[in-house]
Amino acid sequence: MKITCIAGDGIGPEIVREARKVLEKIATVYGHEFEFNDILMGGCSIDAYGVPLTDEAIAAAKEADAVLMGSIGGNTSTSPWYKLEPSLRPEAGLLKLRKSLNLFANLRPAYLYPVLKDACPLKESTGDKGFDMLIMRELTGGLYFGDRKTVERDGELVAIDTLEYKESEIRRIAIKAFDVARKRRKSVISVDKANVLDSSRLWRKVVEGVAKDYPDVTLEHMLVDNCAMQLVKNPSQFDVVLTENMFGDILSDEASMITGSIGMLPSASLNDTSFGLYEPSHGSAPDIAGQNIANPIATILSAAMMLRYSFNLDKEADAIEKAVELVLEDGYRTVDLMSSGHGDELKNTSCSEMGDLIAGRITDCKN
Ligand code: IPM
Ligand code: MG
């Protein structure tokens, strides 16, 4: 299997290194061969080539069976990358990659590990109850990809971003959501702003049409502002959350934080083939880059998703997920997970130690 790696910027290289370590261990233990090659994207590509993603890099990603990514971008107030015109900034590389590979379905599972319930910032009773949801975020449409411009009108600047959705774009992501709901608890909550936006009204209509083909799955609609509130009030009500690009971006950060740390949430970006791009849902955390303190678990769990969704290696994916759980149960925590009050029993662990520990548990978790 050919895996293209994008280490990227900030903590990206550190967390991808640990995910690769775990994948290499999987290869040894299960007798697979993974061939890795690296491409540049984001700020490091700007520094090397003047653009956040070259055509050669896109071609290399297309050649692979899957892409494993760390994170891209820098401090938006201080990094010189953000003085460039918007289409040359780090994030433009990621958006271009998502679009060129047609990765329209972004799966972001947010699961509260029972052993991390003290790190959950919500009420104790909410943590005790736990939650296990999957955000299905539309990734190649909406505000992110609509026309945008800034013009002068009546002596002042006016900025315009366009939010557009085609029926076909809504239908294909809704189908993904219902398909995955069938393998879970058979519930879809579709999130929109249908009390204000036309795009949301069309979203609702199309989602309802798709739901007719899935009589075994329940569908509910929820307004996005209410959803933001429900996520902190009663997260266990959610199974599959289906939503458009921008709402999904915002809600998935919220969902990741309630799992204890934004450093826990993996993601898979898929098209209609087995190809996928796997990346943590968090960003490049430039403030802690190079210190070996970042949490590599979201990236390691993204590698597990890669095994499951692109390579059909369910047992191997299970082994990684189990290994993560065992290491957490043993009390190892990167600094983001060192919740107050329980500091004595927990062992503060560096990024590379966390990778070693998880890789070290793979043999025990072989199934
Ligand atoms: C994410 C990130 C990206 C997004 C940024 C880096 C463009 O926040 O993957 O959630 O907004 O999609
Ligand atoms: Mg985001």
Side-chain angles (χ1 to χ4, degrees):
M1 264 102 28
K2 280 201 212 159
I3 303 170
T4 289
C5 288
I6 303 177
D9 309 315
I11 58 170
E14 300 161 55
I15 55 182
V16 167
R17 194 175 307 131
E18 301 317 309
R20 256 170 96 150
K21 198 182 268 176
V22 174
L23 283 172
E24 261 146 20
K25 187 68 186 220
I26 286 283
T28 317
V29 171
Y30 287 86
H32 300 303
E33 213 174 302
F34 299 130
E35 193 187 305
F36 295 98
N37 81 307
D38 296 288
I39 60 173
L40 297 184
M41 187 171 87
C44 55
S45 173
I46 297 173
D47 292 343
Y49 305 114
V51 289
L53 184 69
T54 61
D55 291 341
E56 291 74 26
I58 297 178
K62 279 188 177 156
E63 272 274 294
D65 299 300
V67 176
L68 178 67
M69 190 193 132
S71 50
I72 51 121
N75 183 315
T76 50
S77 328
T78 57
S79 165
W81 299 328
Y82 297 92
K83 300 235 157 41
L84 299 168
E85 68 156 284
S87 68
L88 291 176
R89 293 181 193 172
E91 286 72 9
L94 177 58
L95 299 184
K96 189 171 171 191
L97 189 66
R98 286 174 180 168
K99 196 71 174 180
S100 358
L101 300 170
N102 193 27
L103 302 169
F104 65 87
N106 185 216
L107 285 65
R108 299 190 162 182
Y111 167 66
L112 180 63
Y113 283 86
V115 65
L116 288 186
K117 66 182 168 59
D118 292 326
C120 171
L122 303 177
K123 271 209 292 221
E124 205 179 315
S125 57
T126 313
D128 287 343
K129 216 167 160 194
F131 57 85
D132 179 1
M133 73 185 87
L134 184 139
I135 298 181
M136 181 67 77
R137 169 186 175 195
E138 200 291 324
L139 202 60
T140 52
L143 274 172
Y144 277 64
F145 293 95
D147 286 342
R148 69 179 98 258
K149 61 183 173 192
T150 305
V151 295
E152 213 183 306
R153 193 189 296 153
D154 302 330
E156 62 176 341
L157 291 176
V158 182
I160 303 160
D161 294 288
T162 318
L163 169 45
E164 184 179 312
Y165 266 109
K166 290 193 282 217
E167 282 183 86
S168 55
E169 290 175 307
I170 303 169
R171 191 170 301 111
R172 65 184 182 174
I173 189 73
I175 290 172
K176 288 266 187 200
F178 280 93
D179 280 344
V180 58
R182 263 197 177 146
K183 297 191 199 143
R184 295 175 48 100
R185 300 194 307 278
K186 299 191 168 49
S187 143
V188 171
I189 294 187
S190 174
V191 175
D192 62 37
K193 188 71 184 171
N195 52 349
V196 177
L197 303 174
D198 251 21
S199 57
S200 285
R201 289 187 271 268
L202 182 63
W203 183 276
R204 250 184 214 214
K205 193 170 145 205
V206 174
V207 170
E208 271 167 13
V210 171
K212 293 205 173 82
D213 295 332
Y214 296 82
D216 51 323
V217 178
T218 60
L219 168 68
E220 237 180 273
H221 302 284
M222 193 180 273
L223 296 173
V224 62
D225 46 354
N226 183 28
C227 180
M229 182 184 83
Q230 295 295 334
L231 273 174
V232 291
K233 189 173 169 224
N234 177 18
S236 68
Q237 70 186 290
F238 296 103
D239 178 15
V240 175
V241 177
L242 164 64
T243 193
E244 65 91 51
N245 204 347
M246 176 69 111
F247 298 159
D249 178 46
I250 299 168
L251 295 174
S252 63
D253 266 26
E254 190 186 1
S256 69
M257 191 56 227
I258 60 172
T259 67
S261 163
I262 191 166
M264 292 300 296
L265 212 79
S267 90
S269 305
L270 308 175
N271 56 27
D272 266 326
T273 72
S274 63
F275 180 89
L277 178 140
Y278 300 86
E279 55 166 321
S281 298
H282 60 72
S284 60
D287 52 321
I288 59 160
Q291 298 176 36
N292 196 25
I293 59 168
N295 183 353
I297 292 180
T299 319
I300 291 169
L301 292 173
S302 301
M305 290 185 90
M306 177 173 83
L307 299 179
R308 196 182 298 288
Y309 290 100
S310 284
F311 304 158
N312 242 324
L313 298 175
D314 282 320
K315 282 188 174 168
E316 289 82 342
D318 289 344
I320 295 180
E321 287 161 1
K322 186 78 204 156
V324 167
E325 204 164 345
L326 291 181
V327 169
L328 291 172
E329 275 167 13
D330 287 343
Y332 294 103
R333 301 282 189 279
T334 42
V335 65
D336 53 309
L337 292 170
M338 296 290 291
S339 62
S340 54
H342 296 260
D344 298 350
E345 307 129 48
L346 301 178
K347 291 166 259 196
N348 194 347
T349 309
S350 71
C351 178
S352 57
E353 281 165 348
M354 189 54 97
D356 288 337
L357 287 161
I358 294 168
R361 278 293 206 160
I362 294 293
T363 315
D364 303 332
C365 298
K366 188 172 179 199
N367 37 24

